[in-house]
Amino acid sequence: MIKEKDWIYTDKIKLPDDITLFAIGDIHGDIDAFTEMTDYVDTKYPQAKKITVGDLIDRGPSSIDCINFALDNYDHYIPGNHELLLIGTLHNLDH
């Protein structure tokens, strides 16, 4: 069984006062929405730190594209329950 202690990110993310943090989640495989929001942030806030907060996959047609895009364009990737279910399935874990 996957337990929180196995995947939770416990280090604090420290940002200078002049840095904007952009967090996005619940994309569910919609790469068009994901890239559009990211392009907006990159244009308006080019120095922003970007993190994902889970559920980038499932339901939509482009889940793998969303994962690859996040890994290439985001500073931190925090998995959500949909990612954890996929990881558990791939590793034949009881989830």
Side-chain angles (χ1 to χ4, degrees):
M1 173 175 282
I2 298 174
K3 298 186 186 224
E4 184 176 289
K5 67 177 181 58
D6 297 327
W7 60 268
I8 195 163
Y9 185 76
T10 58
D11 295 334
K12 292 181 180 178
I13 299 172
K14 295 180 182 179
L15 299 173
D17 291 336
D18 61 343
I19 295 293
T20 300
L21 177 64
F22 173 72
I24 189 168
D26 292 307
I27 291 296
H28 293 288
D30 187 344
I31 191 67
D32 293 333
F34 195 16
T35 57
E36 182 179 342
M37 286 185 268
T38 302
D39 289 344
Y40 175 82
V41 169
D42 287 345
T43 300
K44 188 159 176 122
Y45 306 98
Q47 300 301 318
K49 294 293 181 188
K50 298 182 303 247
I51 64 171
T52 65
V53 291
D55 294 352
L56 299 183
I57 66 170
D58 204 8
R59 300 185 191 147
S62 302
S63 289
I64 192 68
D65 294 330
C66 288
I67 291 171
N68 288 328
F69 185 79
L71 293 173
D72 290 342
N73 294 281
Y74 279 68
D75 299 296
H76 295 280
Y77 184 104
I78 301 170
N81 64 311
H82 292 269
E83 288 84 6
L84 293 175
L85 286 172
L86 175 61
I87 291 166
T89 300
L90 292 174
H91 292 280
N92 199 27
L93 300 174
D94 179 19
H95 53 278

